[in-house]
Amino acid sequence: MTIFEKIARREIPAAIVHEEDDFFAFKDVNPQAPVHVLIVPKRVIPGLSGSVPGDAELLGRMLVASKEIAKKLGVAESGYRLVINHGADAGESVPHLHIHLLGGRAMAWPPG
Ligand code: DGP
């Protein structure tokens, strides 16, 4: 079981900021910005390379919900960034697909 599944089952505590039947969002334990949450499906999709066409609807709803989460966290107007790290070079560390939502400070481009 992944760490995010354990959080979804309330076996590990996390600051949950948004929840729906099949996905939820919680504060990242190692925040890289004043606002840093992870939007995560409750069932494991093992990274982008493990996604299948049947995941598209869920992933689409997670993206659509990100604007409500950004609003709730006060960064909808100031701006925010969504990130999916895929693979070693991108720094992916948890093999359970997740979208980072970062905001609350100006960000550089290109990312480091
Ligand atoms: P990534 O590097 O893209 O795979 O991001 C994984 C993120 O997950 C990383 O920013 C830290 C976060 N994380 C890992 N374990 C936990 C945990 O137990 N609780 C919380 N809230 N976040 C975690």
Side-chain angles (χ1 to χ4, degrees):
M1 196 182 295
T2 70
I3 196 125
F4 295 162
E5 278 180 287
K6 290 181 181 169
I7 292 173
R9 292 166 175 236
R10 305 314 202 257
E11 292 173 12
I12 292 178
I16 295 172
V17 298
H18 182 92
E19 183 155 25
E20 304 201 16
D21 285 348
D22 48 5
F23 70 91
F24 68 138
F26 55 90
K27 291 185 182 176
D28 194 295
V29 77
N30 183 23
Q32 302 301 312
V35 169
H36 186 174
V37 301
L38 303 173
I39 308 171
V40 183
K42 289 184 178 176
R43 65 178 163 84
V44 180
I45 299 173
L48 277 179
S49 60
S51 64
V52 297
D55 297 322
E57 196 264 345
L58 169 58
L59 294 176
R61 282 189 290 107
M62 288 165 58
L63 281 180
V64 172
S66 68
K67 69 177 183 215
E68 300 303 333
I69 297 168
K71 202 181 289 177
K72 202 181 287 185
L73 298 175
V75 295
E77 297 296 322
S78 51
Y80 55 94
R81 183 173 288 172
L82 301 181
V83 173
I84 297 176
N85 292 320
H86 181 73
D89 276 0
E92 181 185 16
S93 60
V94 179
H96 180 151
L97 187 76
H98 50 282
I99 303 170
H100 296 257
L101 187 159
L102 301 127
R105 66 169 171 82
M107 285 175 223
W109 191 263

